Amino acid sequence: ADRKKLHTAPVGQVFRLRPFHVLVATGGGYAGYRKYEDYKLEQLEKRGIEVPVKLASEWEVALYKSVPTRLLSRAWGRLNQVELPTWLRKPVYSLYIWTFGVNMKEAAVEDLHHYRNLSEFFRRKLKPQARPVCCLHSVISPSDGKILNFGQVKNCEVEQVKGVTYSLESFLGPRTSTEELHFSQAPPGNSFQQQLVTKEGNELYHCVIYLAPGDYHCFHSPTDWRVSHRRHFPGSLMSVNPGVARWIKELFCHNERVVLTGDWKHGFFSLTAVGATNVGSIRIYFDQDLHTNSPRYSKGSYNDFSFISNNNKEGIPMRKGEHLGEFNLGSTIVLIFEAPKDFKFHLKAGQKIRFGEALGSL
C-alpha cells in the first residue's frame, strides 16, 4: 500500500525534438563534414595535385547559412572576454600555440601569464622589428596570411579563389547619391567597374589575403591613402578558409564585412575586412561608431558612414604600415584598387605573406 506510483510519459513526448534543435544538429554535422573535406583538399594541394572546382548547390548553401553562426560567434566573443585564472593561462595558450603554430618570439609580450583572456591573446601586438615595412614598393601586405588570389578585375567579376568568382557590385554595394566616393563621372550606361576607374588608361586590380587562426590578427594600411567612406554589411559568418572559398560561390558577398573606400595617388582604393565563423568582431580603430555582429542589424542590409564633413573634407589620412584595425580571430582581407596598366604584383597564388612585405608596384 505504501508503494509509490511511477508515472511515465509517452515515448514520443520524451524524445520530442524541436525544429531548432534538428536544424542546429543537422547544420553543425554538415559543417563538420565540410571541414573534413577541406582537410583532404589541403592535403592534395600540398602534394601538388590540382583540385577540380566543385561548387555548392543552393540547398547546401542554405543549409550552411541556417547554422546560427552569428549567435555562436557572439557567444564565442563573450567567452573570449572571461578572465582566466593565472595558473590556467599558460596551459590554454600553449595548446593554442601548438595547434596553430603561433610564433610567440615575435610578440611584444612573450610571457603568457600577461594575457588575462583569450581576446587579449588573439590581439597581441608584435615587436616593432618583427615586421619591417617595405619602402620600395607602393602597396604592401596589410596583414599576415595566405594569398588566395590576385590580378585584374574583369567583366565586373572578382576571383575569390581560382575559378570561383563573385560580383564586384554585390561585394562593394551599389552606388548612392549620398556617398562621397571618388567615382569617375562616367555615363550611366557604363559598367560598375568602369565607374570605379577615375583615370583614363587605368585598370582595376584585386588581392585576397586569408588570415589563419595562428596568424597575427591586426591589419594595417597597405599604402598611403585617404579613407572617405565606410559601408558595413551585416551577414552570415561562414568559414572563409580556402576550402570553403573554393566551394561556395560569392562567399564573401554572403558574409559580414566592412568596406573602407577612398583614394590614393592613382585613384580609387578600397580595403574590405570580411568576417567569418567566430570572427563577428571587426574593429576599425578610427571608427568608434562601427558595431559588427550586432542584433540591431539584420542580414541583407547595409549601413553607411562618411568620414568627409565640413570640418574634415579630406577624410581619414592613412600612412603605409599604420595600424588600421583588428579581427577577433583569423579572417580575410580583400583589396580592390585602381592603378596604371603597368602595375605588377610580386606574388604567387598560395604563398604565405607577412604584414609589411611587398604586394606590388609600378
Side-chain angles (χ1 to χ4, degrees), residues 4-16:
K4 296 181 178 179
K5 293 183 179 181
L6 178 63
H7 295 277
T8 59
V11 175
Q13 293 182 12
V14 174
F15 294 99
R16 181 183 299 169

Side-chain angles (χ1 to χ4, degrees), residues 105-124:
K105 292 183 178 180
E106 298 176 334
V109 180
E110 296 184 40
D111 182 11
L112 298 180
H113 296 101
H114 168 80
Y115 303 100
R116 295 173 298 176
N117 51 50
L118 286 166
S119 182
E120 287 188 1
F121 178 71
F122 293 145
R123 295 182 287 106
R124 63 192 177 278

Side-chain angles (χ1 to χ4, degrees), residues 301-322:
S301 63
Y302 62 84
N303 53 85
D304 293 338
F305 186 86
S306 176
F307 298 108
I308 296 179
S309 63
N310 293 330
N311 298 327
N312 181 22
K313 296 184 179 181
E314 297 298 321
I316 307 295
M318 297 297 301
R319 303 294 297 174
K320 183 166 65 175
E322 186 178 351

